[in-house]
Amino acid sequence: MARRQKNPKERFSYLRELVTEFQDTNSIEAKEQVLANLANFAYDPENYIHIKELNIVDLFLDNLEDKNENLTEFAIGGICNLSLDKNFKQLIYKRGGIRKVISCLSSEREETVLSAVTALMYLVSPESKNDITTAPVIDCMLRYQDSDNKRLSNLATVFLQDYCTEGQIQNAKFLSSTYSNTQSSDSGT
Protein backbone atom coordinates (compact mmCIF):
# COMPACT_ATOMS: atom_id res chain seq x y z
CA MET A 1 0.00 0.00 0.00
CA ALA A 2 2.87 2.39 0.77
CA ARG A 3 4.10 2.04 -2.81
CA ARG A 4 0.79 3.38 -4.16
CA GLN A 5 1.16 6.53 -2.11
CA LYS A 6 4.57 7.31 -3.54
CA ASN A 7 4.98 10.67 -5.18
CA PRO A 8 5.06 10.35 -9.00
CA LYS A 9 8.38 12.22 -9.05
CA GLU A 10 9.83 9.69 -6.60
CA ARG A 11 8.57 6.84 -8.80
CA PHE A 12 10.18 8.38 -11.86
CA SER A 13 13.47 8.97 -10.04
CA TYR A 14 13.53 5.43 -8.68
CA LEU A 15 12.78 3.90 -12.10
CA ARG A 16 15.42 6.12 -13.70
CA GLU A 17 17.96 4.94 -11.11
CA LEU A 18 17.11 1.33 -11.93
CA VAL A 19 17.57 1.90 -15.66
CA THR A 20 20.87 3.69 -15.05
CA GLU A 21 22.06 0.89 -12.78
CA PHE A 22 21.14 -1.70 -15.41
CA GLN A 23 23.10 0.19 -18.07
CA ASP A 24 26.11 0.96 -15.90
CA THR A 25 26.70 -2.25 -13.97
CA ASN A 26 28.92 -5.08 -15.11
CA SER A 27 27.40 -7.44 -12.56
CA ILE A 28 25.11 -10.02 -14.14
CA GLU A 29 23.36 -10.57 -10.80
CA ALA A 30 22.65 -6.84 -10.49
CA LYS A 31 21.29 -6.71 -14.05
CA GLU A 32 19.01 -9.67 -13.29
CA GLN A 33 17.73 -8.08 -10.10
CA VAL A 34 17.13 -4.71 -11.78
CA LEU A 35 15.30 -6.24 -14.74
CA ALA A 36 13.14 -8.31 -12.38
CA ASN A 37 12.26 -5.14 -10.47
CA LEU A 38 11.44 -3.27 -13.67
CA ALA A 39 9.21 -6.14 -14.81
CA ASN A 40 7.34 -5.91 -11.49
CA PHE A 41 6.92 -2.16 -11.89
CA ALA A 42 5.50 -2.81 -15.38
CA TYR A 43 2.57 -4.53 -13.70
CA ASP A 44 1.24 -1.24 -12.27
CA PRO A 45 -0.48 1.16 -14.71
CA GLU A 46 0.53 4.06 -12.46
CA ASN A 47 4.09 3.51 -13.69
CA TYR A 48 3.24 3.46 -17.41
CA ILE A 49 3.96 7.12 -18.04
CA HIS A 50 7.42 6.73 -16.49
CA ILE A 51 8.08 3.45 -18.29
CA LYS A 52 7.29 5.14 -21.59
CA GLU A 53 9.41 8.19 -20.83
CA LEU A 54 12.40 6.06 -19.78
CA ASN A 55 12.13 3.75 -22.84
CA ILE A 56 11.93 0.71 -20.60
CA VAL A 57 10.04 -1.17 -23.34
CA ASP A 58 13.21 -1.00 -25.44
CA LEU A 59 15.21 -2.33 -22.50
CA PHE A 60 12.85 -5.30 -22.25
CA LEU A 61 12.87 -5.88 -26.02
CA ASP A 62 16.68 -5.74 -26.13
CA ASN A 63 16.89 -8.51 -23.53
CA LEU A 64 14.34 -10.90 -25.04
CA GLU A 65 17.02 -12.66 -27.04
CA ASP A 66 19.80 -12.47 -24.47
CA LYS A 67 21.86 -15.60 -23.84
CA ASN A 68 21.24 -15.14 -20.12
CA GLU A 69 17.97 -17.00 -19.55
CA ASN A 70 17.20 -15.01 -16.39
CA LEU A 71 17.35 -11.73 -18.29
CA THR A 72 15.13 -13.18 -21.01
CA GLU A 73 12.61 -14.44 -18.45
CA PHE A 74 12.41 -11.07 -16.69
CA ALA A 75 12.24 -9.16 -19.98
CA ILE A 76 9.35 -11.26 -21.33
CA GLY A 77 7.63 -10.85 -17.95
CA GLY A 78 7.88 -7.09 -18.35
CA ILE A 79 6.61 -7.23 -21.93
CA CYS A 80 3.73 -9.45 -20.82
CA ASN A 81 2.83 -7.00 -18.04
CA LEU A 82 2.73 -4.09 -20.50
CA SER A 83 1.04 -5.85 -23.41
CA LEU A 84 -2.56 -5.26 -22.37
CA ASP A 85 -2.10 -1.50 -22.60
CA LYS A 86 -3.04 -0.38 -26.12
CA ASN A 87 -0.20 2.16 -26.35
CA PHE A 88 2.46 -0.33 -25.28
CA LYS A 89 0.90 -3.01 -27.50
CA GLN A 90 1.34 -0.69 -30.49
CA LEU A 91 4.86 0.34 -29.42
CA ILE A 92 5.96 -3.29 -29.00
CA TYR A 93 4.59 -4.10 -32.44
CA LYS A 94 6.26 -1.10 -34.10
CA ARG A 95 9.61 -1.95 -32.49
CA GLY A 96 9.63 -5.47 -33.92
CA GLY A 97 8.67 -7.05 -30.63
CA ILE A 98 6.37 -9.72 -32.04
CA ARG A 99 9.26 -11.63 -33.63
CA LYS A 100 11.25 -11.37 -30.39
CA VAL A 101 8.33 -12.57 -28.26
CA ILE A 102 7.81 -15.49 -30.66
CA SER A 103 11.49 -16.42 -30.23
CA CYS A 104 10.79 -16.91 -26.51
CA LEU A 105 8.41 -19.79 -27.33
CA SER A 106 11.42 -22.05 -27.82
CA SER A 107 12.85 -21.37 -24.36
CA GLU A 108 13.61 -24.27 -22.03
CA ARG A 109 12.12 -22.24 -19.19
CA GLU A 110 8.49 -22.77 -18.34
CA GLU A 111 7.89 -19.22 -17.06
CA THR A 112 9.46 -17.69 -20.16
CA VAL A 113 7.23 -19.75 -22.45
CA LEU A 114 4.10 -19.06 -20.39
CA SER A 115 4.79 -15.32 -20.44
CA ALA A 116 5.50 -15.43 -24.19
CA VAL A 117 2.22 -17.22 -24.98
CA THR A 118 0.30 -14.82 -22.74
CA ALA A 119 2.03 -11.79 -24.25
CA LEU A 120 1.23 -12.97 -27.77
CA MET A 121 -2.45 -13.24 -26.85
CA TYR A 122 -2.39 -9.74 -25.37
CA LEU A 123 -0.52 -8.37 -28.39
CA VAL A 124 -3.07 -9.58 -30.95
CA SER A 125 -4.65 -6.63 -32.74
CA PRO A 126 -5.99 -6.19 -36.25
CA GLU A 127 -2.54 -4.87 -37.18
CA SER A 128 -0.51 -7.68 -35.59
CA LYS A 129 -2.75 -10.74 -35.89
CA ASN A 130 -1.21 -12.03 -39.15
CA ASP A 131 2.29 -11.74 -37.65
CA ILE A 132 1.22 -13.71 -34.56
CA THR A 133 -1.02 -16.41 -36.01
CA THR A 134 1.54 -17.84 -38.41
CA ALA A 135 1.77 -21.55 -39.19
CA PRO A 136 4.96 -22.03 -37.10
CA VAL A 137 3.37 -20.33 -34.06
CA ILE A 138 0.18 -22.35 -34.46
CA ASP A 139 2.24 -25.54 -34.81
CA CYS A 140 4.03 -24.63 -31.60
CA MET A 141 0.69 -24.06 -29.83
CA LEU A 142 -0.59 -27.42 -31.10
CA ARG A 143 2.44 -29.11 -29.55
CA TYR A 144 2.01 -27.15 -26.31
CA GLN A 145 -1.66 -28.10 -26.24
CA ASP A 146 -0.53 -31.72 -25.81
CA SER A 147 1.87 -30.83 -22.99
CA ASP A 148 1.66 -32.55 -19.61
CA ASN A 149 2.04 -29.06 -18.13
CA LYS A 150 -1.58 -28.02 -17.55
CA ARG A 151 -0.82 -24.30 -17.45
CA LEU A 152 0.91 -24.47 -20.81
CA SER A 153 -1.68 -26.81 -22.31
CA ASN A 154 -4.54 -24.57 -21.20
CA LEU A 155 -2.88 -21.38 -22.50
CA ALA A 156 -2.16 -22.99 -25.86
CA THR A 157 -5.77 -24.18 -26.08
CA VAL A 158 -7.06 -20.67 -25.40
CA PHE A 159 -4.67 -19.25 -28.00
CA LEU A 160 -5.87 -21.72 -30.64
CA GLN A 161 -9.56 -21.28 -29.81
CA ASP A 162 -9.59 -17.51 -29.49
CA TYR A 163 -7.09 -16.33 -32.09
CA CYS A 164 -6.88 -18.96 -34.84
CA THR A 165 -9.32 -20.13 -37.46
CA GLU A 166 -9.90 -23.80 -38.14
CA GLY A 167 -8.34 -23.26 -41.57
CA GLN A 168 -5.16 -21.85 -40.04
CA ILE A 169 -4.95 -24.80 -37.64
CA GLN A 170 -5.46 -27.33 -40.43
CA ASN A 171 -2.85 -25.57 -42.58
CA ALA A 172 -0.32 -25.64 -39.72
CA LYS A 173 -0.98 -29.35 -39.18
CA PHE A 174 -0.55 -30.03 -42.90
CA LEU A 175 2.70 -28.05 -43.10
CA SER A 176 4.02 -29.77 -39.99
CA SER A 177 3.24 -33.24 -41.32
CA THR A 178 4.73 -32.36 -44.71
CA TYR A 179 7.89 -31.10 -43.01
CA SER A 180 8.06 -34.19 -40.79
CA ASN A 181 7.64 -36.48 -43.81
CA THR A 182 10.34 -34.59 -45.72
CA GLN A 183 12.72 -34.82 -42.76
CA SER A 184 12.18 -38.55 -42.28
CA SER A 185 12.65 -39.30 -45.99
CA ASP A 186 15.81 -37.13 -46.05
CA SER A 187 17.27 -39.01 -43.11
CA GLY A 188 16.46 -42.35 -44.71
CA THR A 189 18.58 -41.71 -47.81
Side-chain angles (χ1 to χ4, degrees):
M1 189 92 141
R3 199 179 97 207
R4 285 208 168 274
Q5 297 171 351
K6 245 186 186 177
N7 177 326
K9 288 181 182 176
E10 289 176 22
R11 281 178 187 250
F12 178 80
S13 294
Y14 182 69
L15 288 170
R16 186 178 58 208
E17 286 174 25
L18 286 175
V19 170
T20 301
E21 181 180 351
F22 184 87
Q23 293 168 337
D24 290 349
T25 188
N26 291 323
S27 165
I28 296 301
E29 293 81 18
K31 282 186 180 290
E32 292 171 353
Q33 185 175 2
V34 167
L35 206 59
N37 285 332
L38 289 171
N40 287 334
F41 276 100
Y43 188 73
D44 187 348
E46 289 184 28
N47 295 319
Y48 286 2
I49 190 167
H50 309 307
I51 288 170
K52 184 171 177 14
E53 189 173 342
L54 293 166
N55 297 315
I56 292 173
V57 169
D58 290 331
L59 188 68
F60 290 146
L61 289 173
D62 289 345
N63 284 279
L64 285 182
E65 298 173 315
D66 199 278
K67 289 179 180 124
N68 180 315
E69 291 179 351
N70 289 332
L71 291 177
T72 301
E73 181 178 326
F74 301 140
I76 191 62
I79 291 293
C80 187
N81 286 341
L82 295 174
S83 294
L84 271 177
D85 178 82
K86 68 178 185 170
N87 294 320
F88 283 120
K89 180 186 299 200
Q90 193 172 48
L91 183 63
I92 291 164
Y93 178 73
K94 286 181 177 176
R95 300 270 167 84
I98 301 296
R99 180 189 58 74
K100 291 181 177 187
V101 171
I102 289 170
S103 74
C104 292
L105 293 174
S106 62
S107 174
E108 297 288 323
R109 290 207 171 175
E110 176 183 327
E111 289 304 318
T112 299
V113 173
L114 291 169
S115 292
V117 174
T118 304
L120 287 173
M121 290 192 289
Y122 292 162
L123 289 167
V124 169
S125 69
E127 188 178 33
S128 67
K129 188 170 185 175
N130 289 338
D131 295 324
I132 294 172
T133 58
T134 62
V137 171
I138 294 170
D139 180 55
C140 185
M141 295 304 165
L142 288 166
R143 285 184 279 115
Y144 286 155
Q145 191 176 34
D146 293 335
S147 171
D148 291 335
N149 180 321
K150 277 297 178 201
R151 290 170 55 200
L152 185 55
S153 175
N154 289 342
L155 267 179
T157 298
V158 169
F159 181 94
L160 292 166
Q161 289 175 349
D162 290 359
Y163 301 101
C164 305
T165 66
E166 188 57 38
Q168 288 175 307
I169 293 169
Q170 292 308 317
N171 183 52
K173 286 179 179 178
F174 173 75
L175 291 173
S176 178
S177 69
T178 302
Y179 179 75
S180 294
N181 290 340
T182 304
Q183 290 298 310
S184 56
S185 66
D186 285 348
S187 63
T189 56

CSV table of all heavy atoms in Angstrom, one decimal, residues 16-60:
chain,number,residue,atom,x,y,z
A,16,ARG,N,14.3,5.6,-13.0
A,16,ARG,CA,15.4,6.1,-13.7
A,16,ARG,C,16.7,5.6,-13.1
A,16,ARG,O,17.6,5.2,-13.8
A,16,ARG,CB,15.4,7.7,-13.7
A,16,ARG,CG,16.6,8.2,-14.6
A,16,ARG,CD,16.6,9.7,-14.7
A,16,ARG,NE,16.7,10.2,-13.3
A,16,ARG,CZ,16.2,11.4,-12.9
A,16,ARG,NH1,15.6,12.2,-13.8
A,16,ARG,NH2,16.4,11.8,-11.7
A,17,GLU,N,16.8,5.5,-11.8
A,17,GLU,CA,18.0,4.9,-11.1
A,17,GLU,C,18.1,3.5,-11.5
A,17,GLU,O,19.3,3.0,-11.7
A,17,GLU,CB,17.8,5.1,-9.6
A,17,GLU,CG,18.0,6.5,-9.1
A,17,GLU,CD,17.8,6.6,-7.6
A,17,GLU,OE1,17.9,5.6,-6.9
A,17,GLU,OE2,17.4,7.7,-7.1
A,18,LEU,N,17.0,2.7,-11.5
A,18,LEU,CA,17.1,1.3,-11.9
A,18,LEU,C,17.6,1.2,-13.3
A,18,LEU,O,18.5,0.3,-13.6
A,18,LEU,CB,15.7,0.7,-11.8
A,18,LEU,CG,15.2,0.4,-10.4
A,18,LEU,CD1,13.8,-0.2,-10.4
A,18,LEU,CD2,16.2,-0.6,-9.7
A,19,VAL,N,17.1,2.0,-14.3
A,19,VAL,CA,17.6,1.9,-15.7
A,19,VAL,C,19.1,2.2,-15.8
A,19,VAL,O,19.8,1.6,-16.4
A,19,VAL,CB,16.7,2.8,-16.6
A,19,VAL,CG1,17.3,3.0,-18.0
A,19,VAL,CG2,15.3,2.3,-16.7
A,20,THR,N,19.5,3.3,-15.1
A,20,THR,CA,20.9,3.7,-15.1
A,20,THR,C,21.7,2.6,-14.5
A,20,THR,O,22.8,2.3,-15.0
A,20,THR,CB,21.1,5.0,-14.3
A,20,THR,OG1,20.3,6.0,-14.9
A,20,THR,CG2,22.5,5.4,-14.2
A,21,GLU,N,21.3,2.0,-13.4
A,21,GLU,CA,22.1,0.9,-12.8
A,21,GLU,C,22.2,-0.3,-13.8
A,21,GLU,O,23.3,-0.8,-13.9
A,21,GLU,CB,21.4,0.4,-11.5
A,21,GLU,CG,22.2,-0.7,-10.8
A,21,GLU,CD,21.5,-1.2,-9.5
A,21,GLU,OE1,20.5,-0.6,-9.0
A,21,GLU,OE2,22.0,-2.2,-9.0
A,22,PHE,N,21.1,-0.6,-14.4
A,22,PHE,CA,21.1,-1.7,-15.4
A,22,PHE,C,22.2,-1.4,-16.5
A,22,PHE,O,22.9,-2.3,-16.9
A,22,PHE,CB,19.8,-1.9,-16.1
A,22,PHE,CG,19.7,-3.1,-17.0
A,22,PHE,CD1,19.5,-4.4,-16.5
A,22,PHE,CD2,20.0,-3.0,-18.3
A,22,PHE,CE1,19.5,-5.5,-17.3
A,22,PHE,CE2,20.0,-4.1,-19.2
A,22,PHE,CZ,19.7,-5.3,-18.7
A,23,GLN,N,22.2,-0.2,-17.0
A,23,GLN,CA,23.1,0.2,-18.1
A,23,GLN,C,24.5,0.3,-17.6
A,23,GLN,O,25.5,0.0,-18.4
A,23,GLN,CB,22.6,1.5,-18.7
A,23,GLN,CG,21.3,1.4,-19.4
A,23,GLN,CD,20.7,2.7,-19.8
A,23,GLN,OE1,21.0,3.7,-19.2
A,23,GLN,NE2,19.8,2.7,-20.8
A,24,ASP,N,24.8,0.7,-16.4
A,24,ASP,CA,26.1,1.0,-15.9
A,24,ASP,C,26.8,-0.2,-15.3
A,24,ASP,O,28.0,-0.3,-15.2
A,24,ASP,CB,26.1,2.1,-14.9
A,24,ASP,CG,25.8,3.5,-15.6
A,24,ASP,OD1,25.8,3.5,-16.8
A,24,ASP,OD2,25.5,4.4,-14.8
A,25,THR,N,26.1,-1.2,-14.7
A,25,THR,CA,26.7,-2.2,-14.0
A,25,THR,C,27.3,-3.3,-14.9
A,25,THR,O,26.8,-3.5,-16.0
A,25,THR,CB,25.7,-2.9,-13.0
A,25,THR,OG1,26.4,-3.8,-12.2
A,25,THR,CG2,24.6,-3.6,-13.7
A,26,ASN,N,28.3,-3.9,-14.4
A,26,ASN,CA,28.9,-5.1,-15.1
A,26,ASN,C,28.5,-6.4,-14.4
A,26,ASN,O,28.9,-7.5,-14.9
A,26,ASN,CB,30.5,-5.0,-15.1
A,26,ASN,CG,30.9,-3.8,-16.0
A,26,ASN,OD1,30.3,-3.6,-17.1
A,26,ASN,ND2,31.9,-3.1,-15.6
A,27,SER,N,27.8,-6.3,-13.3
A,27,SER,CA,27.4,-7.4,-12.6
A,27,SER,C,26.1,-8.1,-13.2
A,27,SER,O,25.1,-7.4,-13.3
A,27,SER,CB,27.1,-7.0,-11.1
A,27,SER,OG,26.4,-8.0,-10.5
A,28,ILE,N,26.3,-9.3,-13.6
A,28,ILE,CA,25.1,-10.0,-14.1
A,28,ILE,C,24.0,-10.1,-13.1
A,28,ILE,O,22.8,-9.9,-13.4
A,28,ILE,CB,25.5,-11.4,-14.6
A,28,ILE,CG1,26.5,-11.3,-15.8
A,28,ILE,CG2,24.3,-12.3,-15.1
A,28,ILE,CD1,26.0,-10.5,-17.0
A,29,GLU,N,24.4,-10.4,-11.9
A,29,GLU,CA,23.4,-10.6,-10.8
A,29,GLU,C,22.6,-9.3,-10.6
A,29,GLU,O,21.4,-9.3,-10.4
A,29,GLU,CB,24.0,-11.0,-9.5
A,29,GLU,CG,24.6,-12.4,-9.5
A,29,GLU,CD,26.0,-12.5,-10.2
A,29,GLU,OE1,26.7,-11.5,-10.3
A,29,GLU,OE2,26.3,-13.6,-10.5
A,30,ALA,N,23.3,-8.1,-10.6
A,30,ALA,CA,22.7,-6.8,-10.5
A,30,ALA,C,21.7,-6.6,-11.7
A,30,ALA,O,20.6,-6.1,-11.5
A,30,ALA,CB,23.7,-5.7,-10.4
A,31,LYS,N,22.2,-6.9,-12.9
A,31,LYS,CA,21.3,-6.7,-14.0
A,31,LYS,C,20.0,-7.5,-13.9
A,31,LYS,O,18.9,-7.1,-14.2
A,31,LYS,CB,22.0,-7.1,-15.3
A,31,LYS,CG,23.0,-6.1,-15.8
A,31,LYS,CD,23.6,-6.5,-17.2
A,31,LYS,CE,24.5,-5.5,-17.7
A,31,LYS,NZ,24.0,-4.2,-18.1
A,32,GLU,N,20.2,-8.8,-13.5
A,32,GLU,CA,19.0,-9.7,-13.3
A,32,GLU,C,18.0,-9.1,-12.3
A,32,GLU,O,16.8,-9.0,-12.5
A,32,GLU,CB,19.4,-11.1,-12.8
A,32,GLU,CG,20.2,-11.8,-13.9
A,32,GLU,CD,20.8,-13.1,-13.4
A,32,GLU,OE1,20.8,-13.4,-12.2
A,32,GLU,OE2,21.3,-13.9,-14.3
A,33,GLN,N,18.6,-8.6,-11.2
A,33,GLN,CA,17.7,-8.1,-10.1
A,33,GLN,C,17.0,-6.8,-10.6
A,33,GLN,O,15.8,-6.6,-10.3
A,33,GLN,CB,18.6,-7.8,-8.8
A,33,GLN,CG,17.7,-7.3,-7.7
A,33,GLN,CD,18.5,-7.1,-6.4
A,33,GLN,OE1,19.7,-7.3,-6.4
A,33,GLN,NE2,17.9,-6.8,-5.3
A,34,VAL,N,17.7,-5.9,-11.3
A,34,VAL,CA,17.1,-4.7,-11.8
A,34,VAL,C,16.0,-5.0,-12.8
A,34,VAL,O,14.9,-4.4,-12.7
A,34,VAL,CB,18.2,-3.8,-12.4
A,34,VAL,CG1,17.6,-2.7,-13.2
A,34,VAL,CG2,19.1,-3.2,-11.3
A,35,LEU,N,16.3,-5.9,-13.7
A,35,LEU,CA,15.3,-6.2,-14.7
A,35,LEU,C,14.1,-6.9,-14.1
A,35,LEU,O,12.9,-6.6,-14.5
A,35,LEU,CB,15.9,-7.1,-15.8
A,35,LEU,CG,15.2,-7.0,-17.2
A,35,LEU,CD1,15.3,-5.6,-17.7
A,35,LEU,CD2,15.9,-8.0,-18.2
A,36,ALA,N,14.3,-7.7,-13.1
A,36,ALA,CA,13.1,-8.3,-12.4
A,36,ALA,C,12.3,-7.2,-11.7
A,36,ALA,O,11.1,-7.2,-11.8
A,36,ALA,CB,13.6,-9.3,-11.4
A,37,ASN,N,13.0,-6.3,-11.1
A,37,ASN,CA,12.3,-5.1,-10.5
A,37,ASN,C,11.5,-4.3,-11.5
A,37,ASN,O,10.3,-4.0,-11.3
A,37,ASN,CB,13.2,-4.2,-9.7
A,37,ASN,CG,13.7,-4.8,-8.4
A,37,ASN,OD1,13.0,-5.6,-7.8
A,37,ASN,ND2,14.9,-4.5,-8.0
A,38,LEU,N,12.1,-4.0,-12.6
A,38,LEU,CA,11.4,-3.3,-13.7
A,38,LEU,C,10.2,-4.0,-14.2
A,38,LEU,O,9.2,-3.4,-14.5
A,38,LEU,CB,12.4,-2.9,-14.8
A,38,LEU,CG,13.5,-1.9,-14.5
A,38,LEU,CD1,14.5,-1.8,-15.6
A,38,LEU,CD2,12.9,-0.5,-14.2
A,39,ALA,N,10.3,-5.3,-14.3
A,39,ALA,CA,9.2,-6.1,-14.8
A,39,ALA,C,8.1,-6.0,-13.8
A,39,ALA,O,6.9,-6.0,-14.2
A,39,ALA,CB,9.6,-7.6,-15.0
A,40,ASN,N,8.4,-6.1,-12.5
A,40,ASN,CA,7.3,-5.9,-11.5
A,40,ASN,C,6.7,-4.5,-11.5
A,40,ASN,O,5.5,-4.4,-11.4
A,40,ASN,CB,7.9,-6.2,-10.1
A,40,ASN,CG,8.2,-7.7,-9.9
A,40,ASN,OD1,7.5,-8.5,-10.5
A,40,ASN,ND2,9.1,-8.0,-9.0
A,41,PHE,N,7.5,-3.5,-11.8
A,41,PHE,CA,6.9,-2.2,-11.9
A,41,PHE,C,6.0,-2.0,-13.1
A,41,PHE,O,5.1,-1.3,-13.2
A,41,PHE,CB,8.0,-1.1,-11.9
A,41,PHE,CG,8.5,-0.7,-10.6
A,41,PHE,CD1,9.7,-1.2,-10.1
A,41,PHE,CD2,7.8,0.2,-9.8
A,41,PHE,CE1,10.1,-0.9,-8.8
A,41,PHE,CE2,8.2,0.6,-8.5
A,41,PHE,CZ,9.4,0.0,-8.0
A,42,ALA,N,6.3,-2.8,-14.1
A,42,ALA,CA,5.5,-2.8,-15.4
A,42,ALA,C,4.1,-3.4,-15.1
A,42,ALA,O,3.2,-3.2,-16.0
A,42,ALA,CB,6.2,-3.6,-16.5
A,43,TYR,N,3.9,-4.0,-14.0
A,43,TYR,CA,2.6,-4.5,-13.7
A,43,TYR,C,1.6,-3.4,-13.3
A,43,TYR,O,0.4,-3.6,-13.4
A,43,TYR,CB,2.7,-5.5,-12.6
A,43,TYR,CG,1.5,-6.3,-12.3
A,43,TYR,CD1,1.0,-7.3,-13.1
A,43,TYR,CD2,0.7,-6.0,-11.1
A,43,TYR,CE1,-0.1,-8.0,-12.8
A,43,TYR,CE2,-0.4,-6.8,-10.8
A,43,TYR,CZ,-0.9,-7.7,-11.7
A,43,TYR,OH,-2.0,-8.4,-11.4
A,44,ASP,N,2.1,-2.3,-12.8
A,44,ASP,CA,1.2,-1.2,-12.3
A,44,ASP,C,1.0,-0.1,-13.3
A,44,ASP,O,2.0,0.6,-13.6
A,44,ASP,CB,1.9,-0.7,-11.0
A,44,ASP,CG,1.1,0.3,-10.2
A,44,ASP,OD1,0.1,0.8,-10.8
A,44,ASP,OD2,1.4,0.6,-9.1
A,45,PRO,N,-0.2,0.1,-13.7
A,45,PRO,CA,-0.5,1.2,-14.7
A,45,PRO,C,-0.1,2.6,-14.3
A,45,PRO,O,0.2,3.4,-15.1
A,45,PRO,CB,-2.0,1.1,-14.9
A,45,PRO,CG,-2.4,-0.3,-14.6
A,45,PRO,CD,-1.4,-0.7,-13.5
A,46,GLU,N,0.1,2.8,-13.0
A,46,GLU,CA,0.5,4.1,-12.5
A,46,GLU,C,2.0,4.4,-12.9
A,46,GLU,O,2.4,5.5,-12.9
A,46,GLU,CB,0.4,4.1,-10.9
A,46,GLU,CG,-1.0,4.2,-10.4
A,46,GLU,CD,-1.1,4.4,-8.9
A,46,GLU,OE1,-0.2,5.0,-8.3
A,46,GLU,OE2,-2.1,3.9,-8.4
A,47,ASN,N,2.7,3.3,-13.3
A,47,ASN,CA,4.1,3.5,-13.7
A,47,ASN,C,4.2,3.7,-15.2
A,47,ASN,O,5.3,4.0,-15.7
A,47,ASN,CB,4.9,2.3,-13.2
A,47,ASN,CG,5.0,2.2,-11.7
A,47,ASN,OD1,5.2,3.2,-11.1
A,47,ASN,ND2,4.9,1.0,-11.2
A,48,TYR,N,3.2,3.5,-16.0
A,48,TYR,CA,3.2,3.5,-17.4
A,48,TYR,C,3.8,4.7,-18.0
A,48,TYR,O,4.6,4.7,-18.9
A,48,TYR,CB,1.9,3.2,-18.0
A,48,TYR,CG,1.4,1.8,-17.9
A,48,TYR,CD1,2.1,0.8,-17.2
A,48,TYR,CD2,0.2,1.4,-18.5
A,48,TYR,CE1,1.7,-0.5,-17.1
A,48,TYR,CE2,-0.3,0.1,-18.4
A,48,TYR,CZ,0.5,-0.9,-17.7
A,48,TYR,OH,0.0,-2.2,-17.6
A,49,ILE,N,3.4,5.9,-17.5
A,49,ILE,CA,4.0,7.1,-18.0
A,49,ILE,C,5.5,7.2,-17.9
A,49,ILE,O,6.2,7.6,-18.8
A,49,ILE,CB,3.3,8.4,-17.4
A,49,ILE,CG1,3.7,9.6,-18.2
A,49,ILE,CG2,3.6,8.5,-15.9
A,49,ILE,CD1,2.8,10.8,-17.8
A,50,HIS,N,6.0,6.7,-16.7
A,50,HIS,CA,7.4,6.7,-16.5
A,50,HIS,C,8.1,5.7,-17.3
A,50,HIS,O,9.2,5.9,-17.8
A,50,HIS,CB,7.7,6.5,-15.0
A,50,HIS,CG,6.9,7.4,-14.1
A,50,HIS,ND1,6.9,8.7,-14.2
A,50,HIS,CD2,6.1,7.1,-13.0
A,50,HIS,CE1,6.2,9.3,-13.3
A,50,HIS,NE2,5.7,8.3,-12.5
A,51,ILE,N,7.5,4.5,-17.5
A,51,ILE,CA,8.1,3.4,-18.3
A,51,ILE,C,8.2,3.9,-19.7
A,51,ILE,O,9.2,3.6,-20.4
A,51,ILE,CB,7.2,2.2,-18.2
A,51,ILE,CG1,7.4,1.6,-16.8
A,51,ILE,CG2,7.5,1.2,-19.3
A,51,ILE,CD1,6.5,0.5,-16.4
A,52,LYS,N,7.2,4.6,-20.2
A,52,LYS,CA,7.3,5.1,-21.6
A,52,LYS,C,8.4,6.2,-21.7
A,52,LYS,O,9.2,6.1,-22.6
A,52,LYS,CB,5.9,5.7,-22.0
A,52,LYS,CG,5.9,6.2,-23.4
A,52,LYS,CD,4.5,6.6,-23.8
A,52,LYS,CE,4.2,7.1,-25.2
A,52,LYS,NZ,5.2,7.0,-26.2
A,53,GLU,N,8.4,7.1,-20.8
A,53,GLU,CA,9.4,8.2,-20.8
A,53,GLU,C,10.8,7.7,-20.7
A,53,GLU,O,11.8,8.2,-21.4
A,53,GLU,CB,9.1,9.2,-19.7
A,53,GLU,CG,9.9,10.5,-19.8
A,53,GLU,CD,9.5,11.5,-18.8
A,53,GLU,OE1,8.4,11.4,-18.2
A,53,GLU,OE2,10.3,12.4,-18.6
A,54,LEU,N,11.1,6.6,-20.0
A,54,LEU,CA,12.4,6.1,-19.8
A,54,LEU,C,12.8,5.0,-20.8
A,54,LEU,O,13.8,4.4,-20.7
A,54,LEU,CB,12.5,5.5,-18.4
A,54,LEU,CG,12.5,6.5,-17.2
A,54,LEU,CD1,12.2,5.8,-15.9
A,54,LEU,CD2,13.7,7.4,-17.2
A,55,ASN,N,11.9,4.7,-21.8
A,55,ASN,CA,12.1,3.7,-22.8
A,55,ASN,C,12.4,2.4,-22.3
A,55,ASN,O,13.2,1.6,-22.8
A,55,ASN,CB,13.3,4.2,-23.8
A,55,ASN,CG,13.0,5.4,-24.5
A,55,ASN,OD1,11.9,5.6,-25.0
A,55,ASN,ND2,13.9,6.4,-24.5
A,56,ILE,N,11.7,2.0,-21.2
A,56,ILE,CA,11.9,0.7,-20.6
A,56,ILE,C,11.4,-0.4,-21.5
A,56,ILE,O,12.0,-1.5,-21.5
A,56,ILE,CB,11.3,0.7,-19.2
A,56,ILE,CG1,12.0,1.6,-18.3
A,56,ILE,CG2,11.3,-0.7,-18.6
A,56,ILE,CD1,11.4,1.9,-16.9
A,57,VAL,N,10.5,-0.2,-22.4
A,57,VAL,CA,10.0,-1.2,-23.3
A,57,VAL,C,11.2,-1.6,-24.2
A,57,VAL,O,11.4,-2.8,-24.4
A,57,VAL,CB,8.9,-0.7,-24.2
A,57,VAL,CG1,8.6,-1.6,-25.4
A,57,VAL,CG2,7.6,-0.5,-23.4
A,58,ASP,N,12.0,-0.7,-24.6
A,58,ASP,CA,13.2,-1.0,-25.4
A,58,ASP,C,14.2,-1.8,-24.6
A,58,ASP,O,14.8,-2.8,-25.2
A,58,ASP,CB,13.9,0.3,-26.0
A,58,ASP,CG,13.1,1.0,-27.0
A,58,ASP,OD1,12.3,0.3,-27.7
A,58,ASP,OD2,13.2,2.2,-27.1
A,59,LEU,N,14.3,-1.5,-23.4
A,59,LEU,CA,15.2,-2.3,-22.5
A,59,LEU,C,14.7,-3.8,-22.4
A,59,LEU,O,15.5,-4.7,-22.6
A,59,LEU,CB,15.3,-1.7,-21.1
A,59,LEU,CG,16.3,-2.3,-20.1
A,59,LEU,CD1,17.7,-1.9,-20.5
A,59,LEU,CD2,16.0,-1.7,-18.7
A,60,PHE,N,13.4,-3.9,-22.3
A,60,PHE,CA,12.8,-5.3,-22.2
A,60,PHE,C,13.1,-6.0,-23.6
A,60,PHE,O,13.5,-7.1,-23.7
A,60,PHE,CB,11.3,-5.3,-21.9
A,60,PHE,CG,11.0,-4.9,-20.5
A,60,PHE,CD1,9.9,-4.2,-20.2
A,60,PHE,CD2,11.8,-5.3,-19.4
A,60,PHE,CE1,9.5,-3.8,-18.9
A,60,PHE,CE2,11.5,-5.0,-18.1
A,60,PHE,CZ,10.3,-4.2,-17.9
